Amino acid sequence: MQLSELIKKDPAIERVAKAEEVIWFNPGLRCRDAAFEGISLTMADIDDAEARLRRFAPFIMRCFPETAGNGGIIESPLTEVEHVRQRLNGHGGGIGGRLLLKRDSDLAIAGSVKARGGIYEILKHTEEIALEKGLLSGYDDDYAKLAGDECRGVFSQYTVQVGSTGNLGLSIGIMSAAVGYKVIVHMSADAKQWKKDLLRSKGVKVVEYKSDYSEAVKRGRELSDADPMSYFVDDENSVALFLGYAVAAKRLKAQLEDMGIEIDENRPLIAYIPCGVGGAPGGIAFGLRLLFGDNAHVFFVEPTQAPCMLLGMASGLNNKICVQDVGLTGLTHADGLAVGRPSGFVGGVMKTLLAGEMTVEDYKLYDYMRALLDTEGIFIEPSSCAAFEGPMKLCSREGEEYIGRHGLEDKMQNAIHIPWATGGRLVPEEIRKEYMSTYLK
Ligand SMILES: *Cc1c(COP(=O)(O)O)cnc(C)c1O
């Protein structure tokens, strides 16, 4: 489709194609009941995923002693970052209410949001094999025994493969190696060297591609499909990944309650989640809208050169369009978000659930990163920092249209803003230093 035709579908595409920063409100957004009408996934699916993670907790604890403190449940803190709020407001922001950072950057094992979906999908696959092979007698068996030599011997006959820009590969690779599988990670050109090195040190086979993420996924899928003992984690279409991410919403609700925060008509929850192919932010958004209904407003944030989900949703073409089709490069310092073509599955589910999107220029990511470290002593990786552009844009003149339309004017002073920090813990010290001294503008 010609650019001019795309712009007729949604005028925002004109600025998107020029790599300008935009805020985009999803015209397909619907109220709670209407929003879920065409969606077959439900709360029961999230409950099922949560229960599976609980069954595996003794196993996780045995493989990863670092998770013992939390009983084998992989969860991240929710931290109020008032000093960042003040710093951002000092730099032109108008963020009212409270700013709470969801720190998936600190998640155990994988150090990123991928520890949710990626690890969940590997566990689900493992449970299926274990039940089929009689390694488990049923759901009430003791899953810790799966870490024993006999079970590992069985798992070692199987292969797991995945395509990744880095963090998904880390999560799938580390978890699969822990279970005992052979693992092959197909890494796109954007993947950082230290992520490949770390995986290789764990015995994971890393195949490198000079092309982008979509190509690495395609090759990985082909190679896996040709091997009957191989399982492919399909980031573009996986319902399991999506549900693993969605569990985050239930956990967040409990954390808010622990902090004495109740989300209701007068206290909206506004989440801002960095988006790559869409699985992680999509799953979380789905869970938040299910749990908080119309009191949850979820925005995705993407780099100006790789706004694939925004382009797919605004054009209505979903995965039938990529950022290169409108002349963008897909290249960005936000390696976790360097995706040119969105998940069609997620785009479809988000159609009625997502409030909108913001895009952000790369140079700001480093500025946000320094601001967070300076004021709160918290390090997160550049991709994660895209989240802060969310409240900056929504709480500016650019956001007024949305706030007015949803009758939020007098509620913004009560709002709970949640930028979702999606990665960081595993970034090596020397790379952190490099990031800290990166100034693009
Ligand atoms: C993968 C990733 C995301 C986005 O997840 P998608 O499922 O690709 O949309 C965001 N931030 C970081 C750091 C990531 O690694």
Side-chain angles (χ1 to χ4, degrees):
M1 199 180 285
Q2 293 289 318
L3 185 57
S4 56
E5 280 175 69
L6 292 168
I7 293 169
K8 264 186 237 150
K9 285 196 164 191
D10 192 320
I13 294 177
E14 180 164 19
R15 292 180 57 209
V16 170
K18 287 185 191 149
E20 288 175 18
E21 285 191 349
V22 299
I23 184 166
W24 173 78
F25 304 120
N26 175 18
L29 176 65
R30 294 290 174 271
C31 301
R32 189 187 180 132
D33 292 338
F36 285 96
E37 240 164 47
I39 300 172
S40 59
L41 297 168
T42 65
M43 199 53 167
D45 296 300
I46 300 184
D47 292 341
D48 177 60
E50 194 189 27
R52 185 164 290 107
L53 289 169
R54 235 181 342 236
R55 292 198 288 278
F56 270 99
F59 169 82
I60 302 259
M61 224 176 351
R62 215 166 125 182
C63 297
F64 301 97
E66 69 203 88
T67 64
N70 207 21
I73 297 295
I74 303 165
E75 196 40 74
S76 73
L78 179 66
T79 307
E80 179 146 28
V81 287
E82 174 60 17
H83 294 108
V84 179
R85 193 178 75 91
Q86 286 170 14
R87 171 76 66 93
L88 294 177
N89 285 353
H91 285 83
I95 307 167
R98 295 171 72 178
L99 190 65
L100 308 185
L101 188 67
K102 183 56 182 158
R103 295 167 65 185
D104 280 3
S105 42
D106 282 339
L107 279 174
I109 303 175
S112 80
V113 68
K114 306 296 194 306
R116 298 185 182 279
I119 288 175
Y120 173 71
E121 177 151 357
I122 295 305
L123 296 178
K124 182 163 190 289
H125 178 58
T126 301
E127 187 179 59
E128 278 158 17
I129 294 176
L131 288 169
E132 187 195 307
K133 297 285 165 192
L135 304 176
L136 289 172
S137 59
Y139 286 167
D140 52 359
D141 204 347
D142 175 13
Y143 282 41
K145 71 179 177 198
L146 297 178
D149 288 345
E150 188 205 340
C151 294
R152 287 183 62 86
V154 175
F155 296 131
S156 70
Q157 298 160 31
Y158 296 84
T159 302
V160 171
Q161 305 197 46
V162 65
S164 172
T165 61
N167 283 339
L168 185 63
L170 278 184
S171 143
I172 299 288
I174 293 171
M175 195 63 217
S176 300
V179 175
Y181 298 121
K182 293 193 266 288
V183 206
I184 306 175
V185 175
H186 303 267
M187 286 282 204
S188 66
D190 308 282
K192 302 283 187 220
Q193 189 59 42
W194 69 265
K195 294 184 181 175
K196 300 178 204 170
D197 295 342
L198 178 62
L199 279 175
R200 288 187 172 122
S201 78
K202 304 212 178 262
V204 172
K205 182 172 171 193
V206 178
V207 185
E208 300 177 55
Y209 294 82
K210 290 208 178 65
S211 47
D212 78 348
Y213 164 82
S214 305
E215 188 60 26
V217 171
K218 185 161 163 269
R219 281 296 293 154
R221 191 187 285 126
E222 281 166 7
L223 287 168
S224 185
D225 287 352
D227 175 358
M229 294 301 277
S230 176
Y231 179 81
F232 185 66
V233 176
D234 190 341
D235 200 11
E236 290 174 338
N237 300 295
S238 169
V239 175
L241 272 178
F242 186 82
L243 291 173
Y245 291 124
V247 171
K250 283 188 80 170
R251 307 260 183 86
L252 181 80
K253 183 159 192 274
Q255 287 180 319
L256 287 167
E257 281 162 10
D258 284 348
M259 294 172 82
I261 297 172
E262 193 171 341
I263 301 302
D264 58 25
E265 255 139 68
N266 293 313
R267 193 176 305 286
L269 180 157
I270 315 178
Y272 312 90
I273 318 174
C275 177
V277 74
I284 297 167
F286 170 72
L288 291 175
R289 286 293 315 271
L290 260 180
L291 279 168
F292 298 105
D294 298 331
N295 300 322
H297 306 263
V298 186
F299 291 89
F300 291 173
V301 192
E302 295 185 287
T304 49
Q305 284 291 350
C308 65
M309 185 59 72
L310 169 46
L311 193 60
M313 290 186 72
S315 66
L317 294 174
N318 276 334
N319 60 342
K320 304 286 185 313
I321 192 167
C322 68
V323 300
Q324 286 81 6
D325 291 342
V326 297
L328 296 172
T329 63
L331 300 177
T332 164
H333 281 241
D335 53 326
L337 315 180
V339 178
R341 189 182 295 279
S343 159
F345 155 59
V346 175
V349 181
M350 287 304 105
K351 190 172 165 143
T352 52
L353 299 182
L354 190 69
E357 288 228 20
M358 294 82 176
T359 60
V360 59
E361 285 195 54
D362 280 6
Y363 78 91
K364 289 188 184 170
L365 304 178
Y366 294 99
D367 293 341
Y368 289 138
M369 186 181 63
R370 281 182 282 267
L372 181 63
L373 192 70
D374 254 19
T375 56
E376 307 278 353
I378 297 172
F379 172 84
I380 65 176
E381 67 187 77
S383 302
S384 299
C385 296
F388 287 111
E389 188 65 14
M392 289 297 275
K393 277 213 167 48
L394 189 68
C395 303
S396 73
R397 274 197 46 216
E398 294 178 277
E400 281 170 6
E401 181 193 329
Y402 184 89
I403 288 168
R405 193 189 308 151
H406 292 268
L408 295 172
E409 293 95 335
D410 358 321
K411 302 172 185 170
M412 288 308 277
Q413 82 250 22
N414 304 324
I416 303 296
H417 298 277
I418 304 193
W420 210 282
T422 43
R425 190 174 65 92
L426 295 186
V427 178
E429 194 49 45
E430 67 273 19
I431 309 284
R432 292 185 188 203
K433 286 210 183 100
E434 208 178 292
Y435 286 160
M436 293 315 287
S437 55
T438 300
Y439 292 84
L440 301 180
K441 211 167 201 171

